[in-house]
């Protein structure tokens, strides 16, 4: 392997690429990884020399604090390639701000902005062949931070590792999703870490989600932990409701992730002169809207799914089917987002970030 320095990043190049053995038409989300990974260690109170190296296993001690106290945060991003072989990220500065916000909540050190963006530039240039052009193709980019200090006393770690790995991706949900409104379990609570993209938030969802899946539902829409009366977000998506021609979504709070796709949909709604309200949304309001026919759509918004229509929901053992709506907002927003991400249309909000 050849080791060189690029923009303060040590680059260790692989001798052979794995890409020839990949069937890009048959990808399972998050199972295939590219040739390279980025990593940078935090030791002695500061971030050390960042490195891009071939994707490979790493050695970590069993006593690393991440295994015992859950100091782990992550992000989800996507890279896109247009027909001229240019590569773009979508609003990556929002991801950078959010991972540092998440890290601060878990008493972890924040990562330098220049390291983050130089790391992305170097990594995505090396892995450019893994980013396929065309709507529906993307490279999922996963930055994350874990506590690596080998100690099992209950306190924040003194050492960490920041990493970025990448996985080629197709559409996350290919069919409309059926969801269950939460009545017993909670994703997060007031004063907790729901707003942070902390690994433990997702681990806590797996069991109740598995119960929902046994009933034929793919996701749970979580309700507030105090009363379970108000709808907040799904396990992998923020949620929007269309009542007649008005779009409604729950406000951010310390229980809800500040979704980047969510913010983009709100802006696109304003751009399209669609009436949108950011307010609390009650379970009873949505059930009644479904009964009287005013509930036209429910859809999720997130990095992996982009926009995912919801075809039915269940609450209190009652199932509500949502009819297909012609000229749906979900289709409109998905088309507009994908066109921006793939450099097929104007980007008046400067959401695209070109990798050069």
């Amino acid at each position: 392997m050849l080791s060189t320095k690029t923009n303060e990043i040590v680059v260790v190049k692989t001798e052979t690429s794995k890409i020839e053995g990949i069937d890009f038409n048959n990808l399972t989300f998050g199972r295939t990884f590219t040739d390279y990974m980025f990593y940078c260690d935090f030791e002695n109170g500061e971030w050390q020399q960042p490195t891009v190296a071939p994707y490979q296993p790493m050695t970590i001690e069993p006593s690393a604090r991440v295994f015992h106290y859950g100091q782990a945060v992550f992000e989800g991003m996507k890279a896109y390639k247009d027909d001229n072989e240019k590569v773009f990220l979508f609003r990556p500065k929002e991801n950078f701000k959010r991972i540092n916000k998440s890290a601060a909540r878990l008493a972890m050190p924040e990562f330098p902005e220049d390291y983050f963006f130089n790391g992305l530039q170097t990594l995505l240039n090396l892995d450019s062949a893994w980013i396929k052009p065309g709507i529906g193709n993307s490279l999922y980019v996963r930055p994350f931070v874990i506590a690596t200090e080998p100690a099992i006393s209950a306190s924040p770690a003194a050492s960490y590792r920041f990493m970025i790995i990448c996985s080629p991706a197709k559409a996350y949900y290919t069919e409309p999703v059926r969801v269950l409104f939460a009545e017993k379990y909670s994703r997060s609570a007031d004063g907790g870490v729901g707003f942070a993209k902390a690994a433990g938030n997702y681990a806590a969802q797996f069991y109740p989600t598995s119960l929902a899946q046994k009933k034929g539902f793919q996701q749970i829409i979580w309700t507030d932990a105090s009363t379970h009366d108000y709808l907040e977000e799904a396990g992998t998506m923020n949620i929007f409701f269309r009542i007649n021609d008005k779009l409604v979504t729950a406000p951010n709070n310390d229980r809800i992730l500040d979704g980047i796709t969510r913010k983009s949909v709100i802006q696109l709604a304003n751009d399209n002169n669609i009436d949108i309200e950011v307010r609390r949304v009650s379970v009873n309001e949505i059930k009644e809207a479904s009964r009287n026919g005013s509930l036209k759509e429910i859809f999720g918004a997130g990095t992996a799914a982009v926009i995912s229509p919801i075809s039915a929901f269940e609450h209190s053992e009652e199932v509500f089917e949502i009819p297909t709506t012609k000229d749906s907002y979900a289709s409109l927003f998905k088309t507009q987002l994908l066109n921006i991400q793939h450099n097929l249309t104007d980007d008046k909000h400067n959401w695209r970030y070109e990798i050069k």
Side-chain angles (χ1 to χ4, degrees):
M1 295 181 184
L2 177 65
S3 178
T4 60
K5 259 194 171 181
T6 306
N7 296 330
E8 301 183 348
I9 297 176
V10 172
V11 177
V12 182
K13 290 193 174 181
T14 184
E15 296 175 356
T16 58
S17 174
K18 302 176 294 187
I19 197 168
E20 294 303 324
I22 305 303
D23 182 356
F24 283 86
N25 293 316
N26 293 286
L27 294 169
T28 300
F29 185 84
R31 296 279 186 171
T32 302
F33 298 96
T34 60
D35 289 324
Y36 290 96
M37 65 184 190
F38 170 92
Y39 68 91
C40 185
D41 291 320
F42 183 88
E43 297 173 351
N44 302 317
E46 61 183 4
W47 290 102
Q48 305 298 309
Q49 176 77 60
T51 300
V52 170
Y55 181 93
Q56 60 191 288
M58 64 182 189
T59 301
I60 187 169
E61 294 201 26
S63 54
R65 289 190 194 266
V66 65
F67 298 136
H68 303 274
Y69 302 109
Q71 277 186 294
V73 298
F74 68 95
E75 270 301 318
M77 313 165 65
K78 279 185 177 178
Y80 305 87
K81 182 178 284 183
D82 69 8
D83 292 335
N84 296 314
E85 297 293 305
K86 291 183 178 180
V87 174
F88 300 90
L89 291 167
F90 183 72
R91 306 188 73 175
K93 290 187 178 180
E94 296 294 329
N95 296 98
F96 169 73
K97 290 188 292 186
R98 191 170 65 183
I99 198 169
N100 277 343
K101 184 179 179 182
S102 298
R105 179 61 181 84
L106 270 69
M108 305 168 76
E110 296 183 21
F111 197 63
E113 185 171 2
D114 58 339
Y115 280 28
F116 183 81
F117 283 97
N118 287 343
L120 284 169
Q121 292 270 2
T122 304
L123 182 62
L124 293 178
N125 278 319
L126 287 167
D127 275 334
S128 178
W130 291 80
I131 312 170
K132 301 302 182 183
I135 294 291
N137 296 319
S138 64
L139 184 71
Y140 187 82
V141 181
R142 169 54 61 87
F144 63 100
V145 194
I146 58 172
T148 54
E149 183 187 12
I152 56 172
S153 55
S155 61
S159 59
Y160 299 85
R161 173 163 286 193
F162 186 105
M163 301 191 70
I164 307 174
I165 58 175
C166 302
S167 177
K170 291 284 192 180
Y172 193 75
Y173 294 118
T174 57
E175 300 293 336
V177 176
R178 298 172 69 86
V179 300
L180 195 67
F181 287 0
E183 298 179 67
K184 176 182 177 182
Y185 296 100
S186 299
R187 177 187 177 274
S188 59
D190 292 337
V193 296
F195 70 89
K197 211 162 173 64
N201 288 345
Y202 295 79
Q205 296 180 51
F206 292 158
Y207 175 67
T209 301
S210 71
L211 297 180
Q213 289 169 347
K214 289 177 181 177
K215 297 182 67 174
F217 299 92
Q218 287 81 38
Q219 285 279 315
I220 293 176
I221 296 184
W222 299 101
T223 48
D224 69 291
S226 299
T227 67
H228 295 294
D229 288 337
Y230 292 92
L231 297 156
E232 298 197 326
E233 67 173 326
T236 59
M237 306 177 289
N238 294 109
I239 297 296
F240 289 82
F241 306 90
R242 178 181 175 183
I243 302 173
N244 290 318
D245 288 333
K246 180 178 291 185
L247 198 61
V248 183
T249 192
N252 284 335
N253 54 45
D254 57 11
R255 301 183 303 275
I256 296 178
L257 186 71
D258 185 13
I260 295 162
T261 309
R262 171 188 177 275
K263 287 190 281 194
S264 304
V265 168
I266 291 171
Q267 182 60 61
L268 290 176
N270 289 324
D271 293 347
N272 287 279
N273 296 314
I274 292 171
D275 188 9
I276 181 165
E277 292 183 355
V278 179
R279 60 169 174 80
R280 298 184 82 186
V281 184
S282 74
V283 172
N284 286 338
E285 176 187 4
I286 298 306
K287 290 170 69 173
E288 180 56 31
S290 181
R291 291 188 181 106
N292 66 31
S294 62
L295 180 65
K296 305 301 183 185
E297 296 179 73
I298 304 177
F299 60 88
T303 298
V306 186
I307 301 293
S308 183
I310 290 169
S311 61
F313 67 90
E314 181 187 294
H315 184 261
S316 296
E317 303 298 325
E318 185 178 5
V319 175
F320 297 80
E321 300 288 342
I322 303 171
T324 301
T325 299
K326 186 179 178 181
D327 300 323
S328 72
Y329 290 170
S331 297
L332 172 67
F333 295 139
K334 185 170 186 175
T335 298
Q336 292 185 348
L337 281 171
L338 289 173
N339 284 343
I340 293 170
Q341 290 164 343
H342 287 271
N343 195 27
L344 296 173
T345 191
D346 290 339
D347 177 24
K348 66 180 182 180
H349 300 295
N350 296 313
W351 287 341
R352 282 193 298 263
Y353 179 96
E354 185 175 356
I355 298 297
K356 297 181 179 178

